[in-house]
Amino acid sequence: MSALLSIRDLYVRFGATEAVRGVSLDIDPGETVALVGESGSGKSVTALSVLKLLPYPAASHPKGAVLFKGRDLMTATDAELRQVRGSDISMIFQEPMTSLNPVHTIERQVGEILAIHRGLRANAARARTLELLAQVGITDPASRLGAYPHQLSGGQRQRVMIAMALANEPDLLIADEPTTALDVTVQAQILTLLKDLQQKLGMAMLFITHDLAIVKKIADRTCVMTEGEIVEQGPTETIFSAPRHAYTRHLIAAEPKGRPAPAASGGTIVEAQDLKIWFPIRAGLLRRTVGHVKAVDGIDISIREGETLGIVGESGSGKSTLGLALLRLVSSTGRIVFLGEDIQGKSWKAMRPLRANMQIVFQDPYGSLSPRMSVAEIIGEGLKVHARGLGTAEREARVVAALEDVGLEPADRHRYPHEFSGGQRQRIAIARAMVLSPRLLVLDEPTSALDVSIQAQIVDLLRDLQAAKGLTYLFISHDLRVVRALASRVVVMKDGRIVEEGSAVDIFERPREPYTKSLLAAALNLAVVEGGAKT
C-alpha cells in the first residue's frame, strides 16, 4: 500500500532560524500517526507546512517535499492548494474559540465550507449542517444553528470544529492539540468521537500532541520530535514498551510522580460554612432576575495547616470560583474564617493586612504577568504594598531569594516575561506569591498550560517548597494525574456542590460516587469496578 501522505526531508526556516530539519514521515490510508514532543519542538510547524499555512514569505522551505497521493504540495499553486484544503485535507486547531469567527453563527460557519467546496446553498447546506452536528454528538442540533461560539461550551465548540473539518469527508485529518484545553471527560469523548468517525469515513489522521496518555489511546504509529527533528518513530506499542532514544524515555518518564505530603495535623488555616455564590440571570425589558447560576451552592470546606487540598471537577463545576471566594476576591454569602478570624464581613481595606498570608497563582502565567514590568518589579510589587519598611537593598535581596527558591537565576530579575518559556513564567508567578511568605497558597490550574515534562518539574518544585516552608496549598485542577502526585486530601465538585471528599488514597483507589469514577476513568485510563477503581 502506497502512503497517502509522505513528507520527505522537510526543512522549515524562519529567517536564519531552522524550526524543522530533515523531517520525514509517512501516513497510510486509514492510519493514525501521532507527532509528539514538547512546545517548540516543531510539531505544529510541520503540520502547517503540509497545507502551506505558515506565514509566507517569513517562513520558507529550503528543502523537502510533501507528497499527497503522489503529488508534491510544496510546488502546488495557490489555486491548487485551495482545492485540497478543507476538501481532501482538513485541520482541527488547538483552541476552537480563536479558530471560530465570533460574529458568525454556527450555521453560517459550517455552511461556508459546504458552499465553497460542494456548492450547497440554503436548504441543502442546512440539512447537511444538521447531519454533521448530529454526527459529532451535538445534542438538539437544530437549536444550535443560530448560536454563536461564545454561547457554547469548550467541548461543544471543539465538536463544531470537528464538524467543519469533516464536512467534505477528507482523506486526511490533521488534529493539532485538539483536546489540550478540554476537561478530562470531554477529552475522552472527543477522542472516542474521532476514532469512531475515522473508522466510519476511512480517513487517515495526523494527531499532534504533547500528552502521551492520549497517544497510547489513539495512535497506530508515533513519531517523537524535538528541536525540529524526528528522533524516533515506530509502532506506538513499541515506542512505549521499548523506547530507544533518550528524549523518548525522558518524555515517558516525565509524568508527575512522587507522593504528596503526609496528611496535615496542624490547626485549620481556612474554613467556610454554607458558602454560596449565585450569579443572577436577568431577562426582559426591566432586566428582572428570573433565576440564578449557582456557581457555588452551599459548600462546607476546611484546610489544615501544611496540607494540600485538591479541588477537582470539570469546567463550570465551581472550582475556581470557590478558590476566589475563600480569598474574598469574589462576593459570597456564608461564613469564611481565615487564621481564626471571620473575614466575610470585612471591607476591602480591612482585608489588606491579611493579603500577604493568602496568595494565588493563576492558570496562565503569560496573562497574569505584566509585560511592561521586569521580573524584579513583578516579584517586588507585593513587598512595596505589604512590607513598606523594607529598604531598596533588602527588597532586592528578597526578590533574589524568591527567584532562587523557584530555581531561577538572580540575573533573571532584569528580564521581562516574554523572554521566558511557559514553565519559567510559571516559576516567576510562584516566586511573586512566595516572596511574601504566605500561609495559604491557592494554585488555580497552574500546570494545565504546560508540557508534561514541565508539569512534572512544577509539581516537584511545589512539593519541595511545601516541605521547606510548611506551606498550605489549595490546588485546583481537572488533571487528576497532577492532583494524585501532590494532594493529600481531595474534594470532587460538580455543578457548584461537593459530591465526594476524602483522603487522596480513598478518592483514587476507592471512589464511591459515579461522577468520581467517571473522572478517574477518563483521566487515568482506569478500569472502573464496583466499589472502586484499579489500573
Side-chain angles (χ1 to χ4, degrees):
M1 180 188 296
S2 59
L4 178 69
L5 179 75
S6 183
I7 299 176
R8 286 286 169 264
D9 199 25
L10 180 68
Y11 283 74
V12 182
R13 184 176 292 162
F14 292 89
T17 302
E18 279 189 342
V20 171
R21 297 190 299 275
V23 164
S24 296
L25 65 87
D26 292 332
I27 305 176
D28 292 332
E31 182 182 37
T32 298
V33 173
L35 188 57
V36 304
E38 296 172 288
S39 296
S41 62
K43 308 184 303 295
S44 294
V45 171
T46 299
L48 291 169
S49 297
V50 172
L51 289 171
K52 296 185 73 173
L53 293 175
L54 292 172
Y56 300 99
S60 64
H61 298 286
K63 191 177 179 183
V66 177
L67 303 175
F68 179 69
K69 297 181 178 178
R71 178 185 180 188
D72 190 357
L73 299 182
M74 288 287 100
T75 61
T77 65
D78 288 343
E80 290 171 336
L81 284 170
R82 282 195 293 270
Q83 296 300 314
V84 174
R85 294 171 182 155
S87 180
D88 295 321
I89 304 176
S90 289
M91 192 161 185
I92 305 171
F93 297 96
Q94 178 173 351
E95 178 46 68
M97 193 61 182
T98 57
S99 302
L100 296 172
N101 193 319
V103 300
H104 290 164
T105 64
I106 300 306
E107 180 178 13
R108 180 169 179 179
Q109 295 188 62
V110 179
E112 182 181 28
I113 295 170
L114 297 170
I116 290 173
H117 290 282
R118 293 197 170 186
L120 300 184
R121 292 288 189 275
N123 292 339
R126 171 169 285 205
R128 176 60 177 156
T129 299
L130 287 170
E131 180 184 343
L132 287 165
L133 293 179
Q135 194 175 39
V136 298
I138 296 286
T139 56
D140 192 13
S143 67
R144 299 296 186 181
L145 292 178
Y148 291 87
H150 73 273
Q151 296 175 303
L152 304 178
S153 69
Q156 289 171 329
R157 287 194 291 266
Q158 196 61 289
R159 288 172 188 269
V160 171
M161 281 291 297
I162 294 171
M164 294 170 65
L166 300 181
N168 296 301
E169 299 185 358
D171 297 310
L172 173 65
L173 177 66
I174 301 174
D176 188 3
E177 300 272 15
T179 62
T180 297
L182 303 178
D183 292 323
V184 289
T185 49
V186 179
Q187 184 183 90
Q189 293 167 11
I190 294 297
L191 292 176
T192 300
L193 171 66
L194 286 173
K195 288 297 289 182
D196 290 345
L197 291 173
Q198 180 183 29
Q199 292 173 3
K200 180 179 178 181
L201 300 175
M203 69 181 179
M205 184 156 53
L206 176 61
F207 197 96
I208 299 163
T209 185
H210 64 256
D211 191 333
L212 297 183
I214 292 176
V215 174
K216 286 190 281 189
K217 294 177 183 177
I218 200 167
D220 301 308
R221 286 192 302 112
T222 297
C223 302
V224 181
M225 195 167 185
T226 182
E227 296 181 353
E229 298 179 298
I230 291 178
V231 295
E232 185 168 359
Q233 58 180 300
T236 299
E237 185 177 344
T238 303
I239 292 289
F240 281 91
S241 62
R244 299 188 310 274
H245 197 276
Y247 179 73
T248 309
R249 294 194 291 270
H250 160 74
L251 279 183
I252 293 172
E255 181 175 318
K257 293 181 177 67
R259 299 214 172 258
S265 58
T268 300
I269 288 280
V270 64
E271 62 179 327
Q273 297 171 354
D274 195 28
L275 192 67
K276 293 181 180 179
I277 301 142
W278 291 9
F279 297 107
I281 301 171
R282 293 187 171 91
L285 184 63
L286 300 178
R287 309 301 295 165
R288 290 193 175 98
T289 299
V290 297
H292 290 87
V293 175
K294 298 178 181 180
V296 174
D297 191 19
I299 280 181
D300 296 335
I301 195 170
S302 67
I303 309 172
R304 300 182 71 84
E305 187 170 9
E307 84 168 332
T308 298
L309 176 64
I311 308 287
V312 304
E314 298 170 291
S315 294
S317 62
K319 307 185 303 294
S320 295
T321 306
L322 173 61
L324 294 174
L326 292 175
L327 298 180
R328 286 289 316 281
L329 294 177
V330 295
S331 298
S332 63
T333 62
R335 190 166 183 254
I336 303 174
V337 178
F338 180 69
L339 295 176
E341 188 175 357
D342 192 335
I343 64 172
Q344 183 64 284
K346 286 185 176 292
S347 66
W348 190 260
K349 183 177 180 180
M351 281 295 301
R352 179 173 286 187
L354 299 173
R355 294 291 181 198
N357 278 320
M358 49 166 65
Q359 290 291 299
I360 186 168
V361 176
F362 295 99
Q363 177 175 355
D364 178 10
Y366 197 72
S368 63
L369 302 177
S370 173
R372 297 181 178 86
M373 297 171 69
S374 69
V375 169
E377 291 171 327
I378 289 169
I379 297 174
E381 186 178 26
L383 293 173
K384 289 182 178 180
V385 175
H386 297 289
R388 295 184 178 182
L390 294 179
T392 302
E394 192 174 356
R395 186 164 58 244
E396 189 88 350
R398 292 219 190 164
V399 169
V400 168
L403 283 171
E404 290 175 336
D405 281 343
V406 299
L408 295 175
E409 296 295 325
D412 289 335
R413 69 188 187 279
H414 303 302
R415 299 164 63 191
Y416 288 81
H418 72 273
E419 299 178 79
F420 295 88
S421 69
Q424 289 172 321
R425 284 195 290 265
Q426 197 60 288
R427 289 174 184 265
I428 293 166
I430 294 170
R432 175 175 61 181
M434 291 300 303
V435 76
L436 295 170
S437 300
R439 301 282 295 278
L440 172 67
L441 186 57
V442 175
L443 299 146
D444 189 4
E445 300 274 12
T447 62
S448 65
L450 305 177
D451 290 325
V452 64
S453 61
I454 307 301
Q455 281 186 0
Q457 293 172 20
I458 296 297
V459 168
D460 289 341
L461 169 65
L462 291 171
R463 192 185 291 117
D464 291 344
L465 287 172
Q466 185 174 44
K469 300 179 182 295
L471 290 168
T472 303
Y473 293 148
L474 177 65
F475 191 89
I476 299 165
S477 182
H478 66 255
D479 190 334
L480 273 73
R481 290 172 296 177
V482 176
V483 172
R484 182 171 58 178
L486 199 58
S488 53
R489 197 158 56 89
V490 176
V491 166
V492 183
M493 288 187 66
K494 184 178 189 294
D495 298 331
R497 291 179 172 271
I498 293 174
V499 297
E500 186 167 357
E501 61 181 309
S503 71
V505 172
D506 286 341
I507 294 296
F508 283 99
E509 296 183 8
R510 294 176 291 276
R512 301 185 309 273
E513 298 297 321
Y515 177 71
T516 309
K517 293 177 183 179
S518 69
L519 280 181
L520 291 170
L524 305 176
N525 199 25
L526 299 181
V528 178
V529 297
E530 188 63 33
K534 65 180 182 180
T535 55

